[in-house]
Amino acid sequence: MLFLLLIATLGSNVIIQKSFASESTNSEIMGKKYITFYQDFLKYKHEQSIKNLEEIKVEGIKEKKIEDKIYIFLGLLNMAVDNDLNDYANIAIKNLKSIKNKMSDSQSEIYKLYYAKYLNKIQDDAGAILLLKPLIAKQQSNLNSLAAPLYLDSLLDAGLKSEALQFYNTHSSIIDQNLNWEKLNEILVKLSSAAMSFNQPNLALTFLKKPLLFYPLEKSGREAMSILSKIECSGGSIGSLYFREENMQYLSREVYKRIGKQPDSRNYILALVGINPHKPVPLDPVETLNEQEKEKLLGIAELLMSAREYSMADYVLSYLSQSENYTAFFNKDKLLDMRGRVYNALNKPIKAAQVYYKLFTELPNSKLADNAKLKYAFSLHFAHRNKEAAVFANQNNIYNSKDEQSWFLFWQYYLSNQTKEAEVIANDYLTKNPTKTRFKYWLSIIEKERNEKSLLLKNLSEISKKTVDYPYSIFARWRLKEFLSKNEKENIPHNFNFKDFYVAKTNPFLKKKLKNKNFEYIRTLVNFNLNDIASLYIKKINLKKMKKNQVIILANLAYAAMDYKMSSDLSRNYFENDLDDYQAGEIWTEKTNFWKLNFPLAYWPDVQNAARLADIDPFWLLSIMRAESVYYPHAESSVGAIGLMQIMPYTGIHISKHIGKENFSASLLKDPAQSIAYAAWYLRMLLKIYHGNYLLATAAYNSGPEAVNRWISQNNSLTIDEFYENIPFVETKKYVAKVLGYLDIYYRVQLGSGDGYNLGFGESLPDPFTRLNIF
């Protein structure tokens, strides 16, 4: 159960405050029209896939030119296998067999690869091995990186364990680099099982580390644990010590990051940590413990903090704080620092401030002392004791950076209504840094309160046109609209029918033959839907020898091959243009190429489909995708977030329950369409909870609704721009600025909106004491 809050609009000024609402359910939050969202999304996607494949089939049958006919049916086979549409795969195979003797060597290799992929899917592993063996023998083949993992999987499924172990030993680097984590873990477990069948437990253990650490509650993780148990029960081996006491803390931390809030994960992590939730500390006084036992308990407290079990961590730390004897590894300053962090996490900033004060006054020579001063000042800030925070910061350089020190002081003065002192700080800073938007913006707000109309309009108008230092230009537009009494309802265009002209069929770069032989071959692959192979060839090109115009063509080819990350990277890293003089009306110039490839309509059919069904802005969805993964579908974060939209597995599990998806697997989130659909539903839910407020919904996507709701309850008298400045998570604050900045750029680049994006603040937010039946 989450505690959520309401933002209410007072006049035209958005103020965060409390309201009242009754208990609700998810269906009421989302609205009845969104209950079938996921099924409708899949249905539409399936219909589009059938339509596309049918068009390709008809085109292939009509085609008279043999070479084009071969490529058309190769593309049909590739797309049919990827979409699990075997009828179309069989049509493609039948047509390709009839013209097999007319294939070139490269076409024959592609045919064998895709045919083998199809046979592997229908579990004809012997057939797949026979097709792939000649490709594997040609070690210089460009297709080796696609063929090798498929060949190994077929060997294992065919029961050829010895050959599989030998093959992996020779080709492990290629296989590891070209498989997503789920398929790699599946293969590693099979290899471990194969090693066990030859009574090689140490070899088996070498394959188990990744499956055990990455999403251990997934199928491969559970199977890995089963193999490990067999090794232990049968007498084990020296190698299995890796998973015992000395590495258990590392293992526990890594496992927790990935299983998070999945069902039973709390018990799972506590068991790994080695703590009984009903008896977390010994009954005996702390001084009866030896140093090693104290150090171990401190390590457990650290793990509990990383697992967000703050109440239990506080219990352990309170017990340890009774000690009067400390060592190099069990030291007082570390203990105090940990207690301060826990108190702030438990929303007890006064207690946190007291602990930090004790640290830097009683232990001034500690390495943690200077940082404790900063944390002390921030704890006072969180406790709304802004005058005290300002006095302390003024007397101490709590930041090494002059910029950050000036901002902290200014903000404490502003929040405590010491406007004269705030102005002195801001003007002094702007004298030396005249281009910094943040101070200019907040000085304008102070001017507003003094009713200095002409100066306010001038400054806000100037800030509103900026394309750097987001989100202040967006805030300035909102304030201008408010100030000029433009109270019309927000009408953000969703552009569900907006077209992408950079795809292969409409891109002029790809309509005619290219002089560069390698580029021309890639163009052929792209035009015939052989995108995975096209991406392989693009990656092999030596960019150091490329001229700018060649990089532009290559970026367009990558875009058409749906490798949006590569396209964006190429444009961003190899040619640059300023956004301020960008003209959306210019067609196919270097400038439009730079911006439209750098901010692409990635996976646009799926984004449009999901955004239309969820009734959210598709460019918001793209902006979050860029911030999360830079359009890379197989992205994995250090904390276990997956895919394009970087969804945590436990979030995916809960979304699945609400959208009617059975048999959820974390690997599902590696599929671009699925990741987009899950994120769109979740964003719709957040937007409904926060009553159309894109800033708050964006913050909640990054930090979770629980955190955002807590911040709102702590800052319920602030305007939305003030609330933004008070976001305590630095990462979330930067994330919000990044996403809103990307959204502004998307509006300028793709829609040609010279004014950029106008932030929708919505109407209100749920009350902090309203209980909603959401995850």
Side-chain angles (χ1 to χ4, degrees):
M1 306 288 282
L2 302 177
F3 293 93
L4 304 171
L5 304 163
L6 288 179
I7 278 189
T9 305
L10 295 181
S12 60
N13 200 13
V14 180
I15 303 290
I16 302 179
Q17 62 175 18
K18 295 182 180 179
S19 181
F20 296 95
S22 59
E23 185 161 334
S24 179
T25 64
N26 256 330
S27 61
E28 289 169 333
I29 294 169
M30 290 296 291
K32 291 180 181 178
K33 66 179 277 193
Y34 303 113
I35 300 304
T36 60
F37 162 81
Y38 184 66
Q39 290 75 16
D40 292 342
F41 175 84
L42 293 180
K43 180 183 176 184
Y44 181 82
K45 183 170 178 59
H46 180 74
E47 288 172 354
Q48 288 300 111
S49 296
I50 294 289
K51 181 183 176 183
N52 292 340
L53 290 172
E54 189 63 29
E55 288 174 356
I56 294 169
K57 182 193 80 173
V58 171
E59 183 186 357
I61 291 169
K62 288 181 178 179
E63 182 60 55
K64 300 297 182 185
K65 192 177 177 183
I66 291 296
E67 185 177 3
D68 285 358
K69 194 179 192 74
I70 291 168
Y71 277 121
I72 290 169
F73 281 112
L74 285 174
L76 180 65
L77 178 57
N78 181 33
M79 293 178 70
V81 172
D82 283 345
N83 288 282
D84 290 319
L85 294 168
N86 289 348
D87 289 346
Y88 285 96
N90 287 321
I91 290 168
I93 290 165
K94 181 181 176 182
N95 279 276
L96 288 166
K97 280 183 175 178
S98 69
I99 49 179
K100 186 181 174 184
N101 60 341
K102 296 181 181 178
M103 291 182 185
S104 66
D105 288 345
S106 61
Q107 290 170 337
S108 180
E109 285 188 1
I110 295 171
Y111 169 62
K112 288 175 183 176
L113 175 70
Y114 288 151
Y115 192 9
K117 188 177 178 182
Y118 168 73
L119 293 175
N120 179 266
K121 277 202 171 185
I122 64 170
Q123 299 181 331
D124 183 355
D125 297 299
I129 290 167
L130 286 172
L131 282 169
L132 290 169
K133 205 162 190 174
L135 281 179
I136 298 300
K138 290 177 67 177
Q139 293 188 10
Q140 299 304 315
S141 171
N142 285 320
L143 303 183
N144 216 269
S145 57
L146 295 176
L150 191 59
Y151 184 66
L152 175 61
D153 194 36
S154 299
L155 286 174
L156 287 163
D157 288 346
L160 301 173
K161 298 177 182 179
S162 177
E163 291 90 332
L165 288 167
Q166 187 177 351
F167 183 77
Y168 182 75
N169 186 49
T170 309
H171 298 85
S172 60
S173 60
I174 294 176
I175 292 163
D176 291 353
Q177 290 171 17
N178 291 281
L179 280 179
N180 65 51
W181 65 266
E182 190 244 1
K183 190 64 183 176
L184 178 59
N185 285 343
E186 182 186 315
I187 283 178
L188 290 172
V189 169
K190 290 178 184 177
L191 287 168
S192 182
S193 181
M196 286 297 290
S197 67
F198 293 110
N199 195 27
Q200 297 182 38
N202 281 330
L203 178 61
L205 283 165
T206 63
F207 296 124
L208 292 181
K209 181 180 176 183
K210 283 184 180 178
L212 281 169
L213 290 183
F214 287 85
Y215 311 101
L217 298 187
E218 286 290 292
K219 182 173 179 286
S220 59
R222 294 195 301 271
E223 289 175 351
M225 190 63 78
S226 176
I227 295 171
L228 180 64
S229 298
K230 289 176 184 176
I231 295 172
E232 295 283 1
C233 292
S234 62
S237 69
I238 293 174
S240 68
L241 288 173
Y242 171 82
F243 298 101
R244 293 183 186 169
E245 182 79 17
E246 63 272 25
N247 282 289
M248 194 55 73
Q249 286 193 0
Y250 168 76
L251 177 65
S252 302
R253 188 179 293 111
E254 292 300 303
V255 166
Y256 178 77
K257 285 195 298 188
R258 290 165 172 83
I259 63 178
K261 297 176 183 174
Q262 286 191 23
D264 298 325
S265 65
R266 183 172 187 266
N267 293 333
Y268 193 98
I269 187 66
L270 292 178
L272 282 172
V273 170
I275 193 170
N276 180 349
H278 305 293
K279 186 187 169 186
V281 298
L283 295 175
D284 298 324
V286 66
E287 293 301 9
T288 63
L289 304 183
N290 62 39
E291 300 311 316
Q292 288 74 25
E293 288 171 324
K294 289 181 185 177
E295 289 165 21
K296 184 176 179 181
L297 264 182
L298 194 65
I300 285 173
E302 204 165 7
L303 279 172
L304 290 169
M305 289 167 65
S306 71
R308 300 174 203 168
E309 293 285 349
Y310 296 114
S311 293
M312 196 173 295
D314 182 38
Y315 194 86
V316 175
L317 292 170
S318 296
Y319 172 78
L320 291 173
S321 295
Q322 298 169 29
S323 175
E324 295 181 359
N325 299 307
Y326 297 95
T327 66
F329 296 102
F330 176 65
N331 47 49
K332 188 175 182 179
D333 51 355
K334 182 178 180 181
L335 186 61
L336 288 170
D337 181 68
M338 289 171 68
R339 294 210 77 183
R341 285 157 55 198
V342 167
Y343 280 138
N344 272 327
L346 293 172
N347 199 20
K348 298 177 180 179
I350 297 298
K351 282 195 170 186
Q354 290 168 350
V355 167
Y356 288 128
Y357 185 81
K358 189 175 184 180
L359 198 165
F360 68 76
T361 54
E362 292 185 8
L363 303 165
N365 296 321
S366 166
K367 291 180 180 178
L368 301 176
D370 285 343
N371 203 29
K373 290 179 181 179
L374 174 62
K375 292 179 179 180
Y376 170 74
F378 259 102
S379 297
L380 291 175
H381 166 72
F382 296 147
H384 303 294
R385 289 163 66 164
N386 303 106
K387 282 188 178 180
E388 290 179 54
V391 169
F392 181 78
N394 205 20
Q395 293 171 349
N396 299 270
N397 282 323
I398 60 173
Y399 283 102
N400 293 326
S401 161
K402 176 84 163 123
D403 288 12
E404 291 174 320
Q405 176 78 7
S406 297
W407 170 254
F408 185 84
L409 263 175
F410 170 85
W411 193 238
Q412 300 314 306
Y413 286 137
Y414 176 88
L415 291 175
S416 55
N417 293 316
Q418 299 180 76
T419 53
K420 288 184 179 179
E421 291 85 347
E423 280 185 290
V424 169
I425 295 288
N427 286 318
D428 179 61
Y429 183 84
L430 287 170
T431 301
K432 299 164 188 172
N433 306 276
T435 61
K436 291 294 181 180
T437 308
R438 181 163 60 171
F439 281 99
K440 280 187 177 181
Y441 176 78
W442 286 108
L443 271 179
S444 298
I445 304 308
I446 293 173
E447 288 157 4
K448 173 181 180 288
E449 292 168 2
R450 289 180 177 164
N451 202 26
E452 295 181 15
K453 185 174 179 180
S454 59
L455 190 57
L456 170 65
L457 284 173
K458 177 179 177 293
N459 288 340
L460 286 181
S461 179
E462 181 185 324
I463 294 168
S464 72
K465 295 170 185 174
K466 286 185 174 290
T467 54
V468 292
D469 294 337
Y470 289 109
Y472 299 103
S473 58
I474 296 171
F475 286 155
R477 283 173 225 146
W478 164 60
R479 289 282 191 175
L480 275 171
K481 188 169 68 172
E482 172 204 29
F483 191 78
L484 296 172
S485 300
K486 292 183 178 180
N487 294 320
E488 68 271 12
K489 188 178 179 181
E490 287 287 347
N491 184 23
I492 299 172
H494 284 170
N495 299 288
F496 297 131
N497 298 316
F498 189 76
K499 290 187 178 180
D500 181 6
F501 292 100
Y502 274 66
V503 294
K505 289 183 180 178
T506 53
N507 190 324
F509 284 102
L510 310 181
K511 282 186 173 181
K512 57 185 180 182
K513 284 192 174 184
L514 300 172
K515 293 179 182 179
N516 184 297
K517 191 165 70 172
N518 291 331
F519 285 10
E520 175 56 24
Y521 184 59
I522 295 169
R523 186 184 78 92
T524 301
L525 293 170
V526 166
N527 280 333
F528 291 107
N529 303 297
L530 303 172
N531 293 335
D532 52 347
I533 298 174
S535 288
L536 275 180
Y537 276 87
I538 293 171
K539 287 171 186 173
K540 289 181 181 295
I541 289 175
N542 186 351
L543 294 171
K544 291 179 180 178
K545 297 181 179 180
M546 306 286 286
K547 295 177 181 177
K548 185 192 286 187
N549 65 321
Q550 291 177 308
V551 175
I552 293 173
I553 293 171
L554 200 61
N556 275 275
L557 288 166
Y559 188 106
M562 295 176 66
D563 194 337
Y564 302 107
K565 184 181 188 313
M566 184 185 295
S567 176
S568 180
D569 287 348
L570 284 169
S571 61
R572 191 167 56 256
N573 296 331
Y574 287 90
F575 56 104
E576 186 175 354
N577 283 275
D578 196 280
L579 183 59
D580 288 332
D581 60 353
Y582 173 83
Q583 298 294 325
E586 294 180 12
I587 305 298
W588 305 112
T589 64
E590 179 187 312
K591 199 178 298 175
T592 53
N593 261 266
F594 172 77
W595 285 107
K596 288 192 175 181
L597 296 176
N598 197 8
F599 285 81
L601 297 173
Y603 307 99
W604 190 234
D606 290 327
V607 168
Q608 281 182 306
N609 181 18
R612 176 178 58 83
L613 291 169
D615 194 25
I616 61 174
D617 190 329
F619 295 105
W620 183 39
L621 197 54
L622 282 172
S623 299
I624 287 177
M625 185 192 298
R626 182 183 178 87
E628 292 289 350
S629 68
V630 198
Y631 319 110
Y632 181 51
H634 300 303
E636 298 169 13
S637 79
S638 60
V639 296
I642 303 172
L644 276 180
M645 307 304 294
Q646 288 290 276
I647 297 171
M648 293 295 288
Y650 55 78
T651 304
I653 285 174
H654 290 299
I655 293 174
S656 286
K657 289 176 182 176
H658 290 285
I659 64 176
K661 167 66 180 169
E662 297 179 358
N663 303 318
F664 173 81
S665 168
S667 60
L668 190 75
L669 301 174
K670 282 292 182 74
D671 176 74
Q674 296 283 351
S675 185
I676 289 165
Y678 272 55
W681 185 92
Y682 185 46
L683 287 167
R684 173 74 256 171
M685 187 189 77
L686 293 174
L687 208 57
K688 290 289 281 185
I689 290 169
Y690 296 117
H691 289 226
N693 192 305
Y694 274 70
L695 185 148
L696 292 166
T698 300
Y701 190 87
N702 177 260
S703 62
E706 303 99 324
V708 172
N709 300 332
R710 184 172 70 251
W711 303 336
I712 295 172
S713 68
Q714 293 166 348
N715 300 284
N716 57 23
S717 63
L718 302 184
T719 57
I720 195 69
D721 46 1
E722 291 171 340
F723 172 83
Y724 164 78
E725 297 291 8
N726 259 22
I727 292 175
F729 290 1
V730 175
E731 178 195 341
T732 300
K733 191 173 177 183
K734 287 181 178 178
Y735 180 85
V736 168
K738 189 187 295 184
V739 169
L740 294 181
Y742 291 160
L743 188 50
D744 188 65
I745 294 171
Y746 262 113
Y747 267 55
R748 293 172 185 274
V749 169
Q750 296 292 355
L751 293 180
S753 172
D755 295 333
Y757 171 71
N758 279 309
L759 182 65
F761 282 149
E763 299 168 5
S764 57
L765 286 173
D767 182 83
F769 303 107
T770 301
R771 293 195 165 200
L772 301 174
N773 182 25
I774 60 175
F775 55 92

